Amino acid sequence: MGKFIAITFSLLLTMAGMAQSNADKAGRATINGYVKDSLSGESIIGATVSVNMPGGAARSVMSNQYGFFSLTLDKGSYTINVSHISYFGKTLSVALDSNQSINFDLYSKSSAISEVVVYSKRRDGNVKNAQMGKVDLSMTQIRNIPAFMGEVDLLKAIQLLPGVRNAGEGNAGFYVRGGGPDQNLIMLDDAVVYNTGHLFGFFSIFNSDAIKNVSLIKGGMPAQYGGRLSSVVDVTMKEGNMNKFQMDGGIGLIASRFSIQGPLKKNKASFILSARRTYIDALVKPAIKKSSSFYGSGYYFYDVNAKINYRFSEKDRLYLSGYFGRDVFDFANSKRSFKTNVPWGNATGTLRWNHVFNRRLFANTTAVYNDYNFKFNATQESFQIGLSSGIRDITLKSDFDYYPLPDHKLKFGGLVTYHKFVPNVVSGRQDSIIFTPNNEGSKYAMETAVYLQDDWEIGSKWKVNYGLRYSSFTQIGPYNLFTRDADGNKLDSTAYKSFQAVKRYGGFEPRVTIRYAVNDETSIKAAVTRNLQYIHLVSNAGTTLPTDLWVPSTYLVKPQISWLYAAGLFKNFKDNTYETSLEVYYKDMQNQVEYKEGYTPSLADPEEEFVFGRGWSYGAELLVSKLKGRFTGWVGYTLSWTWRKFPLLNEGERYPVKYDRRHDLSVVGNYELNRKWKLGGVFVYGTGNAITLPERFYVINGVLTQEYSRLNQYRMKPYHRLDLSATYTPVPKKKRKVSSYWVFSVYNVYSRLNPYFIYFDQTGSPLNGDLKVEARQVSLFPVLPAVTWNFKF
């Protein structure tokens, strides 16, 4: 596999060099460069660089993740237009008689003092691009959405898009097109994030002050991405202001944050450091008396984002970024001499090197380290017990952007990842006696992939994005493979040495998206993608909890496989003021994993408790967005069905999954009242979650016994909620170095008591004949007002 990847890359690089020489001989020239923010010097992702060709046709390319673009054209005179939804566009006339390097600096609309948002260039990517199910959200858009407890949360913003469902009341977890929470590839600066939640999932780990861009791909996944079945959430951190020092921050009801950024060497190097911490513990502890048995208990979370970059030349740039976050829960009961400490969190580090080989070939090489760790420590008098689990990755990858002709943009690359999976490991001691239970050992794996994709514009009507990815996954040693009898008892074992292959999987993952342009404002798209997923998260809960375990594909657990088929109609109105799309999809999923009936957690290998089956999901998604003017926002609606079928669950009959939601509606609106006030509102409605409930109760030998329904045969009440916000920005008569604004928000305005879970309460006694069993609903959040003060200087 390694030789194949090396040979493939060598051939592609050789072809790139030959194509550059041949194009020069054919009377063509290349314009390349970077698109940057004029104030901060940060690169702009996804800016459209377009050229009007003779005959009325147009050629365009989008700046990549680092702001780089390249266009090869016949020699002549052209008008170049550069545009982005969050920036004022720029137009430049160029006499292209030789290769040229041009950098474009765009001015941010958020920095402009204007009552009405004016778009200087038509935003028609919704219609023109050969991409389905992709949404790019700027942090400006996300900040305008009313936030839970005043904490801006990009994952909650994503939940408001069609095809994306939340995992529960106030929760940052989400499900996409019938997939589970583990089927979403969430990356922060190319580092995979395995646990995205703070406060048991009620807040995401992403600090809005440190984030530059968020992209969601839920259909037609490009070949550069892999390892998950349902979606990609690609989060990019800010690079740091290249021109001046800047400090930002905010003080809210439950957390505060602070960021500092600026040049290390002007126009050469910059940095950003951003930190956030809750002070729930600091607010609650003074209220707990020292005489209380719970004195010393508390909870808090914190996270730190850091990034530096250095531009050696126009051809070489180095980035180093990292994230470290922890949740810490402490509980103390002095009366029982009991204490517990539960820390968990993520740590990531990314080193990237950008290199421009020539005007048409851009390369990025990345080394990534990421670690998720959960620990539980408890002490009672002289007895101590500890529990730990986690997952650790080391990844090396290279990605190349190649622009051979105006009609083609190629992307190719490869990666290799070393995984270490740590199961629940228990240890303990009492005085000098140390307990070492028979824990399951760690598991190791090596994952590799290579891909090639092409964005091909075939005339003015057709555009195709097609690609092929080949991935492989090998469980490696050290590992002991046990032979067991019918009762699961270990009979014999085979020992595998370090890096010795235990079990190998692999396969091709074709991806293709086709766009047909009916006219300048209307297009039809269709996509087919195949995805393989080699690591799995199996949980009894509805969302990602810190105790959940990631497990690899092994000799027993096969990779998950999906085929996604999607088609859609995309149309813009009134000079792209309104964007609309209607997409339909069908997804088939093989080798789905669940726990067997009656499972209880233990120290045994969890894969011995798995059962396997298939799943499928289908539906339609409607999105209507308004992009210009004082009033902006969107309406998203999803009609869908999601099913699972396991031979050993539900008597082999199909059943709806918990997050099967027939109707899902989100309405998001923002209105700029004047220069000082902005208003925002969100309304959401969703069919209630599917749930399994007891249908009959029996008293056997004086004990109340329950008989449950088939899996998920009942529904909770529908979920709906209205959130409102108002943002006040003082406008001083004179320009000041310090600026600030206030955000007032109300979560769940009409205090809807949405169901979180249902339990059955028992009163009376069967012996006295007055036994009464009642179903009771637990709801979490009534109306919750919040206020946040944000500053910048």
Side-chain angles (χ1 to χ4, degrees):
M1 184 67 182
K3 291 182 179 179
F4 173 75
I5 294 175
I7 293 171
T8 302
F9 283 178
S10 298
L11 288 173
L12 289 169
L13 292 174
T14 302
M15 291 169 59
M18 293 174 61
Q20 170 82 29
S21 176
N22 292 336
D24 295 340
K25 294 178 181 178
R28 297 192 185 103
T30 299
I31 305 171
N32 72 290
Y34 293 87
V35 184
K36 298 180 291 185
D37 186 299
S38 62
L39 297 180
S40 67
E42 291 222 16
S43 59
I44 298 176
I45 303 170
T48 300
V49 182
S50 62
V51 175
N52 293 323
M53 306 292 290
R59 289 288 181 267
S60 64
V61 67
M62 297 182 72
S63 60
N64 68 9
Q65 189 177 357
Y66 305 95
F68 180 82
F69 73 92
S70 176
L71 268 174
T72 299
L73 305 167
D74 293 331
K75 293 180 179 180
S77 297
Y78 298 95
T79 299
I80 303 174
N81 299 294
V82 184
S83 62
H84 189 279
I85 184 175
S86 300
Y87 292 84
F88 293 102
K90 182 170 284 190
T91 300
L92 180 68
S93 296
V94 175
L96 189 63
D97 51 11
S98 62
N99 295 331
Q100 296 187 34
S101 293
I102 304 175
N103 295 331
F104 292 93
D105 295 328
L106 303 187
Y107 188 66
S108 172
K109 291 173 183 174
S110 64
S111 301
I113 301 176
S114 174
E115 294 185 5
V116 181
V117 177
V118 178
Y119 289 81
S120 61
K121 176 66 181 173
R122 295 194 313 166
R123 185 182 184 272
D124 55 4
N126 178 56
V127 174
K128 298 296 185 182
N129 294 337
Q131 177 70 62
M132 289 188 66
K134 182 178 181 181
V135 180
D136 290 301
L137 290 175
S138 69
M139 292 311 300
T140 301
Q141 292 172 289
I142 294 173
R143 288 191 183 96
N144 288 334
I145 298 172
F148 174 66
M149 297 297 290
E151 284 297 304
V152 175
D153 195 323
L154 64 90
L155 293 187
K156 288 192 177 70
I158 287 173
Q159 294 172 6
L160 300 173
L161 298 170
V164 184
R165 293 160 177 73
N166 63 30
E169 176 76 84
N171 207 293
F174 62 98
Y175 306 88
V176 177
R177 289 185 171 178
D182 65 323
Q183 295 176 0
N184 304 309
L185 177 64
I186 303 175
M187 298 189 299
L188 177 63
D189 270 6
D190 279 334
V192 176
V193 178
Y194 285 103
N195 187 285
T196 59
H198 282 309
L199 192 57
F200 302 99
F202 289 106
F203 299 98
S204 81
I205 67 163
F206 300 107
N207 181 351
S208 61
D209 287 348
I211 304 304
K212 177 168 69 174
N213 188 76
V214 184
S215 294
L216 169 69
I217 303 173
K218 55 189 173 74
M221 191 184 297
Q224 71 191 83
Y225 298 108
R228 300 294 188 275
L229 300 189
S230 292
S231 74
V232 176
V233 178
D234 199 345
V235 182
T236 305
M237 286 174 55
K238 290 179 179 177
E239 299 162 4
N241 197 311
M242 192 72 77
N243 299 320
K244 64 178 182 179
F245 284 95
Q246 175 183 322
M247 285 175 277
D248 307 82
I251 301 174
L253 290 181
I254 65 167
S256 290
R257 61 192 192 279
F258 181 79
S259 299
I260 182 171
Q261 57 180 311
L264 295 172
K265 186 176 182 181
K266 197 167 184 179
N267 297 321
K268 275 281 188 181
S270 65
F271 78 98
I272 180 171
L273 178 65
S274 186
R276 176 177 60 161
R277 191 193 191 278
T278 58
Y279 30 72
I280 302 173
D281 55 329
L283 295 176
V284 173
K285 280 184 178 180
I288 302 176
K289 297 180 180 180
K290 290 186 177 181
S291 59
S292 171
S293 59
F294 299 103
Y295 182 78
S297 300
Y299 166 84
Y300 63 92
F301 72 75
Y302 64 91
D303 47 41
V304 178
N305 297 75
K307 190 172 186 176
I308 60 173
N309 73 93
Y310 188 88
R311 183 184 293 124
F312 293 93
S313 67
E314 283 297 312
K315 289 190 173 184
D316 293 281
R317 191 170 183 178
L318 198 66
Y319 300 83
L320 177 63
S321 60
Y323 167 87
F324 184 85
R326 281 292 181 268
D327 289 64
V328 180
F329 174 73
D330 294 303
F331 176 80
N333 188 322
S334 58
K335 291 182 178 180
R336 297 181 179 270
S337 300
F338 178 78
K339 292 182 180 180
T340 183
N341 172 258
V342 188
W344 70 92
N346 301 276
T348 71
T350 305
L351 177 65
R352 293 185 286 191
W353 169 44
N354 290 174
H355 178 68
V356 180
F357 282 92
N358 56 52
R359 297 182 184 276
R360 299 178 196 172
L361 183 60
F362 178 94
N364 176 66
T365 301
T366 306
V368 178
Y369 170 86
N370 57 313
D371 177 82
Y372 171 70
N373 186 265
F374 169 83
K375 290 184 179 180
F376 173 88
N377 302 297
T379 303
Q380 186 167 21
E381 295 181 346
S382 62
F383 179 76
Q384 298 177 6
I385 188 171
L387 170 70
S388 63
S389 63
I391 180 172
R392 182 179 302 163
D393 293 346
I394 299 174
T395 301
L396 182 64
K397 58 181 292 191
S398 288
D399 300 282
F400 298 83
D401 291 302
Y402 176 47
Y403 308 80
L405 296 168
D407 300 334
H408 291 269
K409 179 192 172 184
L410 274 68
K411 192 174 185 71
F412 58 94
L415 65 84
V416 57
T417 300
Y418 174 75
H419 298 283
K420 179 182 179 181
F421 302 85
V422 181
N424 285 324
V425 177
V426 177
S427 61
R429 67 181 302 163
Q430 185 165 13
D431 296 326
S432 60
I433 302 174
I434 298 176
F435 302 98
T436 55
N438 187 21
N439 294 297
E440 288 293 328
S442 299
K443 294 179 182 177
Y444 306 86
M446 193 72 72
E447 184 173 358
T448 60
V450 60
Y451 72 90
L452 172 65
Q453 67 184 40
D454 182 19
D455 201 26
W456 181 19
E457 191 162 0
I458 311 171
S460 60
K461 294 289 187 180
W462 294 92
K463 193 171 186 178
V464 181
N465 184 293
Y466 61 100
L468 183 64
R469 180 184 183 92
Y470 180 83
S471 61
S472 68
F473 187 91
T474 306
Q475 181 190 0
I476 58 176
Y479 182 71
N480 290 320
L481 178 61
F482 293 98
T483 304
R484 302 174 186 268
D485 60 19
D487 296 323
N489 298 312
K490 298 176 181 177
L491 301 178
D492 197 3
S493 66
T494 303
Y496 292 87
K497 298 178 181 179
S498 295
F499 292 96
Q500 184 179 356
V502 179
K503 182 66 177 179
R504 182 184 178 279
Y505 296 98
F508 288 98
E509 302 174 58
R511 321 278 176 83
V512 60
T513 303
I514 301 174
R515 182 224 70 193
Y516 174 74
V518 178
N519 52 47
D520 287 341
E521 294 185 336
T522 310
S523 67
I524 299 171
K525 302 179 186 180
V528 178
T529 60
R530 183 178 193 257
N531 290 69
L532 296 174
Q533 179 168 331
Y534 299 104
I535 63 175
H536 323 274
L537 181 72
V538 188
S539 172
N540 280 334
T543 184
T544 305
L545 293 175
T547 52
D548 293 338
L549 288 177
W550 286 90
V551 296
S553 295
T554 64
Y555 69 96
L556 182 61
V557 183
K558 295 181 180 179
Q560 300 179 56
I561 304 172
S562 76
W563 281 97
L564 174 65
Y565 309 90
L569 174 66
F570 299 78
K571 186 170 178 61
N572 292 1
F573 297 91
K574 292 189 176 182
D575 192 30
N576 301 291
T577 298
Y578 295 90
E579 280 188 0
T580 64
S581 64
L582 176 63
E583 296 185 44
V584 294
Y585 70 89
Y586 178 86
K587 182 194 289 184
D588 181 75
M589 295 168 282
Q590 302 293 330
N591 302 331
Q592 299 299 282
V593 188
E594 295 284 357
Y595 282 117
K596 64 175 62 172
E597 290 182 353
Y599 165 76
T600 56
S602 69
L603 295 181
D605 193 333
E607 69 181 36
E608 297 173 15
E609 304 292 334
F610 294 163
V611 292
F612 308 95
R614 66 177 292 254
W616 63 99
S617 178
Y618 50 92
E621 301 167 1
L622 174 67
L623 179 64
V624 179
S625 303
K626 185 175 184 293
L627 304 173
K628 302 179 185 179
R630 286 186 173 179
F631 179 78
T632 58
W634 71 82
V635 177
Y637 171 73
T638 305
L639 173 67
S640 64
W641 290 260
T642 302
W643 302 94
R644 294 289 189 271
K645 188 174 182 180
F646 286 68
L648 298 180
L649 294 179
N650 204 47
E651 299 180 358
E653 298 293 327
R654 73 172 188 176
Y655 62 92
V657 294
K658 176 182 179 179
Y659 41 88
D660 171 57
R661 194 170 296 172
R662 194 71 63 247
H663 305 284
D664 195 84
L665 173 70
S666 299
V667 181
V668 180
N670 295 288
Y671 183 71
E672 190 168 1
L673 190 64
N674 51 46
R675 294 174 66 186
K676 293 184 178 181
W677 286 97
K678 291 181 182 179
L679 306 178
V682 170
F683 175 77
V684 295
Y685 173 89
T687 303
N689 283 346
I691 187 174
T692 305
L693 293 175
E695 294 182 319
R696 297 175 182 85
F697 295 88
Y698 303 96
V699 178
I700 302 176
N701 297 327
V703 178
L704 185 66
T705 305
Q706 304 174 19
E707 181 182 324
Y708 280 86
S709 69
R710 289 190 173 185
L711 286 177
N712 298 334
Q713 295 301 300
Y714 291 91
R715 291 275 178 180
M716 289 187 177
K717 293 179 181 178
Y719 181 98
H720 53 88
R721 190 189 77 243
L722 174 67
D723 305 333
L724 296 175
S725 70
T727 302
Y728 173 69
T729 306
V731 180
K733 294 181 180 179
K734 295 182 179 180
K735 189 174 181 180
R736 299 176 179 176
K737 291 184 178 181
V738 180
S739 62
S740 66
Y741 63 95
W742 293 83
V743 179
F744 307 92
S745 62
V746 182
Y747 180 87
N748 197 4
V749 171
Y750 52 87
S751 199
R752 161 74 174 178
L753 296 179
N754 288 300
Y756 190 65
F757 66 84
I758 294 174
Y759 73 97
F760 285 82
D761 187 43
Q762 175 185 341
T763 58
S765 169
L767 299 177
N768 299 331
D770 60 351
L771 177 65
K772 189 176 182 181
V773 180
E774 291 182 324
R776 298 185 182 273
Q777 172 184 302
V778 175
S779 301
L780 288 184
F781 302 116
V783 56
L784 289 175
V787 60
T788 305
W789 178 61
N790 301 280
F791 57 87
K792 176 180 178 180
F793 59 91

